[in-house]
Amino acid sequence: IGRLLEFRSLLHTTVASALDALTVGVVLVGTDLTIVHANTAAQGMLARGHPIRSERNVLKVRPAHVLTALQAAVRQAGISAG
């Protein structure tokens, strides 16, 4: 179990480092749009509240129809992956 946890930690660190090296914003979310990880570029956008923002650690976008489309796409990706 210890090695598995160590591997998962290393994997998380490696993925986070790779995402942080990108100059574009990348936000990883759960199916309910809960933010799992935001790279450095995305953290800047979240801090400014534009073009994306976080409310109680949930990704939000405007206008409402864009949020609805994002929710549907993430939900569909979750169904496809599961």
Side-chain angles (χ1 to χ4, degrees):
I1 293 177
R3 287 184 189 205
L4 178 59
L5 293 175
E6 184 178 314
F7 175 75
R8 290 186 79 200
S9 177
L10 177 62
L11 180 61
H12 178 268
T13 301
T14 302
V15 170
S17 294
L19 293 176
D20 284 342
L22 299 173
T23 58
V24 297
V26 176
V27 181
L28 303 180
V29 297
T31 54
D32 59 353
L33 296 185
T34 298
I35 298 171
V36 176
H37 178 81
N39 72 351
T40 303
Q43 288 175 18
M45 293 177 194
L46 290 165
R48 288 188 303 278
H50 183 74
I52 58 175
R53 66 187 195 287
S54 173
E55 290 180 10
R56 296 184 198 97
N57 203 43
V58 175
L59 182 65
K60 299 289 182 175
V61 296
R62 288 189 184 143
H65 74 276
V66 174
L67 178 60
T68 300
L70 177 62
Q71 289 168 324
V74 170
R75 195 169 32 254
Q76 183 61 42
I79 292 168
S80 297

